[in-house]
Amino acid sequence: MDTTGLESLSASELHERAVRYAVHHGDLGFLWNLLKVIPAAEAATGRETSADLSHVSALLSDAIAAGEGDLGEALRPVYLEYLRAHPEA
């Protein structure tokens, strides 16, 4: 998909497309990066966050829903960058 097409997608659609592609191709680097940037994206949206490893299950839950609402919008640049690098996604 071209850049214009990607820009027109919702954050939820970008999340779904990027995560589906990464899982299908075993791109653990992207998935790990996504987990690492979620706390900063949450902070940018005003959500209280904890980077403590005891909150891994909450972080994974956030990753699943990371395409929704303010968090999805905060992560939009991450999804766009990944999808631009993988136009076949």
Side-chain angles (χ1 to χ4, degrees):
M1 178 174 281
D2 65 10
T3 300
T4 305
L6 287 175
E7 291 289 341
S8 68
L9 296 177
S10 70
S12 181
E13 291 169 314
L14 291 170
H15 167 79
E16 175 64 29
R17 186 178 285 243
V19 170
R20 183 174 6 112
Y21 183 85
V23 168
H24 181 75
H25 289 88
D27 190 347
L28 297 178
F30 171 75
L31 298 171
W32 180 248
N33 183 57
L34 181 59
L35 290 176
K36 290 190 319 185
V37 300
I38 285 174
E42 286 178 327
T45 66
R47 285 179 62 181
E48 195 169 316
T49 186
S50 173
D52 186 321
L53 283 179
S54 67
H55 295 93
V56 170
S57 64
L59 183 58
L60 292 175
S61 176
D62 287 346
I64 292 168
E68 303 298 322
D70 291 341
L71 181 58
E73 289 303 320
L75 291 168
R76 186 178 186 83
V78 174
Y79 301 135
L80 285 169
E81 178 182 351
Y82 183 72
L83 292 169
R84 285 182 183 127
H86 299 90
E88 67 279 7

